[in-house]
Amino acid sequence: MKLVLLSGGSGKRLWPLSNDSRSKQFLKVLKNSNQELESMVQRVWGQISAAGLSNQSYIITGLGQVEMIYSQLGHEVNVVCEPNRRDTFPAIALMSTYLYSIVGVSLQEVITVLPVDPYVEGHFFHKVKELESIVHDSGADIALMGVKPTYPSEKYGYIVPDKSQNEVLTPYRTVDHFREKPHEDQAKLLIEQGALWNCGVFAFRLDYVINMLIQRGLPIQYEELVKHYDALPKLSFDYEVVEKAKHIVVAPYDGFWKDLGTWNTLTEEIETQQIGSGIISADSKNTHLINELEIPVTIIGCSNLVVAVSPDGILVSDKSASAKIKEIMKDIEQRPMFEERRWGWYRVLDYTKKDGKEVLTKRIGVHAGKNLSYQLHLKRSEAWTIISGEGELVLNDKLIHVAAGDVIQIPVRARHSIRAITDLEIIEVQYGNELVEEDIVRLYMNWADIERQCVKMS
């Protein structure tokens, strides 16, 4: 069985900590067994590894999240990148062609798909393993996993099994129909009928999707489908495939499962009331503060609140109303002010635009032993000030040792990179007519390749 993890999200549901490049699954707000903060994706990957599934797992994501995944999980993770952000049907179709034509997976192999960020207990993934045999034994087009509800929720979709089937005889039941986010009274009736929460986990034989692409006249070779990716409908796999399948079964899961999709549900699982600088007064009950800035935040006499502070903005919300943030922010576009990368991180400190000229100031952290790509920019020049640590700078094929206090001018089209000998922090000031992250021409990624181009300077 191959496991496919879907990593997407617009970064609106947990704004301002989440953004286009740092969706909710990357926020380090949960504590692990060592009492260290970790993200949802780190927690899930640890559980997948413990279940012995990591070597056969793949993550599919958009270009904006690739660096974050490598930063948090390491470079051993199998990552497939969408050419552009669409929806779950195109993403799963693309991953299917990758497994078929690049990895060489058999058409009879079972592919199991799930979100990258379920909040579950470890044995959830042992239940996921059972979907492989269920697909083969049932002969179904698709096998789902459904969570036995603990209360009549209006937030989740429901899978309604066939009532006539004796569930004792098999570990799965035939699906009769689906019901999307019913009202509470309707949810109660569905639960009485044996309905299960749809947790977004499903499995199918690889040939099911490959044959579907053939029937639609679409390529089944990965490289070709990348070129025709825009021809795929921008629809969810649930809508385009699952709801139209003729034979669907569901395996009930009787265990803990939760969608940490709002500040209200997330703070229920954060073990500490406060992360970051600030004070919460004793009379502020059930209030959480998550502060990524070095500026302290003080909360006095305010209960049932979430206060989230990041370089992207500040949120103060009653917990019960916090789910509204996605709708409020849906039409607001802003560049991410903080990003994690495979080499470290950066934070935007200031941005100005005047008379067609832009100036952007960043604080950049490069972890010891890591390096930026050897790159050049077509639309901007940069000035770097090393504020701590030491490293090796490459500028137009010349290798120079740098340390705190050094200032480096990088003209337009100058080839440059830096490797941190110790943890390195840099203030970077960009000047140009258009300052965008896309203005990067990468020449080499690996430091050994970069060094081979260099002449060492004393």
Side-chain angles (χ1 to χ4, degrees):
M1 183 179 74
K2 303 301 180 190
L3 200 63
V4 173
L5 304 172
L6 302 174
S7 181
S10 61
K12 304 293 189 186
R13 291 206 286 174
L14 294 178
W15 186 92
L17 267 63
S18 62
N19 54 40
D20 272 347
S21 66
R22 187 173 61 153
S23 295
K24 65 185 177 72
Q25 60 263 33
F26 301 114
L27 304 183
K28 293 181 180 179
V29 293
L30 304 173
K31 283 189 177 180
N32 61 21
S33 58
N34 297 322
Q35 297 302 299
E36 300 168 332
L37 291 177
E38 67 177 0
S39 67
M40 299 179 210
V41 72
Q42 288 173 317
R43 185 177 189 273
V44 165
W45 193 255
Q47 292 173 319
I48 287 172
S49 300
L53 292 167
S54 58
N55 289 337
Q56 60 216 57
S57 295
Y58 296 78
I59 299 176
I60 184 160
T61 189
L63 180 62
Q65 293 186 6
V66 172
E67 294 271 343
M68 188 78 75
I69 289 170
Y70 285 140
S71 172
Q72 295 199 358
L73 301 183
H75 284 266
E76 296 75 26
V77 178
N78 297 311
V79 178
V80 174
C81 186
E82 290 183 274
N84 51 69
R85 182 183 290 174
R86 295 186 72 73
D87 211 321
T88 54
F89 172 69
I92 293 167
L94 185 67
M95 178 59 86
S96 297
T97 63
Y98 180 85
L99 294 172
Y100 169 67
S101 66
I102 302 296
V103 182
V105 173
S106 164
L107 286 171
Q108 295 306 305
E109 187 74 80
V110 171
I111 312 301
T112 298
V113 181
L114 70 155
V116 80
D117 57 355
Y119 191 73
V120 292
E121 297 162 322
H123 69 88
F124 176 89
F125 291 97
H126 293 283
K127 187 70 178 179
V128 167
K129 284 182 177 181
E130 296 178 16
L131 290 176
E132 181 177 20
S133 60
I134 288 173
V135 170
H136 289 306
D137 294 345
S138 68
D141 298 327
I142 295 172
L144 307 174
M145 196 158 83
V147 176
K148 290 189 176 180
T150 53
Y151 66 99
S153 172
E154 299 181 359
K155 299 184 297 181
Y156 305 135
Y158 287 75
I159 304 166
V160 185
D162 182 350
K163 291 186 291 184
S164 65
Q165 187 178 359
N166 187 343
E167 61 180 308
V168 177
L169 298 178
T170 63
Y172 59 85
R173 299 176 67 187
T174 301
V175 173
D176 186 76
H177 65 278
F178 299 92
R179 186 64 183 273
E180 187 64 24
K181 298 180 180 178
H183 294 302
E184 185 176 341
D185 56 342
Q186 295 170 325
K188 288 179 182 177
L189 292 174
L190 289 169
I191 293 172
E192 290 172 5
Q193 297 169 20
L196 304 163
W197 284 337
N198 189 344
C199 60
V201 179
F202 49 87
F204 52 86
R205 284 180 300 277
L206 181 56
D207 66 350
Y208 184 71
V209 170
I210 294 298
N211 288 334
M212 186 179 298
L213 294 175
I214 293 171
Q215 292 165 7
R216 293 170 182 237
L218 291 165
I220 59 173
Q221 300 296 317
Y222 171 75
E223 294 90 346
E224 286 301 310
L225 191 60
V226 167
K227 297 176 185 176
H228 296 86
Y229 198 61
D230 287 341
L232 291 167
K234 195 173 183 180
L235 296 168
S236 73
F237 193 85
D238 277 344
Y239 177 81
E240 187 67 4
V241 179
V242 176
E243 294 181 11
K244 298 176 183 177
K246 295 178 180 178
H247 185 193
I248 310 171
V249 297
V250 59
Y253 170 69
D254 190 5
F256 181 81
W257 172 85
K258 194 173 186 179
D259 177 19
L260 303 187
T262 67
W263 277 114
N264 192 21
T265 55
L266 179 60
T267 52
E268 288 174 355
E269 304 303 330
I270 296 178
E271 294 181 16
T272 179
Q273 194 178 3
Q274 178 179 326
I275 298 173
S277 178
I279 298 171
I280 303 176
S281 67
D283 59 348
S284 296
K285 307 298 182 183
N286 190 33
T287 286
H288 279 78
L289 168 64
I290 300 95
N291 183 9
E292 291 192 328
L293 300 184
E294 296 174 1
I295 302 168
V297 175
T298 302
I299 303 171
I300 302 172
C302 296
S303 297
N304 303 312
L305 290 187
V306 57
V307 179
V309 182
S310 86
D312 283 23
I314 299 170
L315 170 70
V316 180
S317 173
D318 185 279
K319 286 186 176 181
S320 63
S322 62
K324 297 177 182 178
I325 187 64
K326 182 178 180 180
E327 180 66 22
I328 291 170
M329 296 298 295
K330 69 176 184 178
D331 297 322
I332 297 176
E333 298 296 330
Q334 60 179 125
R335 67 169 297 151
M337 304 295 279
F338 175 85
E339 289 196 40
E340 281 185 51
R341 295 297 179 91
R342 58 179 176 81
W343 40 259
W345 54 269
Y346 78 76
R347 177 173 293 167
V348 175
L349 301 179
D350 186 59
Y351 170 76
T352 59
K353 183 175 183 179
K354 187 176 181 180
D355 299 329
K357 299 291 184 181
E358 299 181 39
V359 180
L360 181 72
T361 305
K362 287 182 178 180
R363 184 173 181 171
I364 298 173
V366 186
H367 300 316
K370 301 292 186 179
N371 66 276
L372 277 64
S373 62
Y374 197 33
Q375 58 188 246
L376 60 88
H377 309 295
L378 303 175
K379 300 178 180 179
R380 69 176 185 252
S381 61
E382 296 177 349
W384 290 2
T385 302
I386 311 297
I387 58 174
S388 67
E390 60 177 319
E392 295 177 293
L393 171 79
V394 177
L395 184 60
N396 288 329
D397 301 342
K398 295 177 181 178
L399 186 64
I400 308 163
H401 181 273
V402 293
D406 289 339
V407 179
I408 304 102
Q409 298 293 332
I410 303 171
V412 175
R413 296 180 179 272
R415 303 179 301 281
H416 60 284
S417 177
I418 195 166
R419 184 181 78 89
I421 297 172
T422 63
D423 284 351
L424 194 64
E425 288 205 20
I426 303 166
I427 297 296
E428 176 186 275
V429 182
Q430 302 177 4
Y431 308 85
N433 297 323
E434 184 182 13
L435 304 180
V436 292
E437 288 300 310
E438 292 75 19
D439 181 24
I440 299 178
V441 179
R442 290 187 170 88
L443 306 173
Y444 299 99
M445 300 291 287
N446 187 278
W447 187 253
D449 294 333
I450 297 170
E451 278 191 311
R452 281 193 281 271
Q453 310 300 314
C454 295
V455 177
K456 192 167 185 178
M457 304 294 289
S458 58

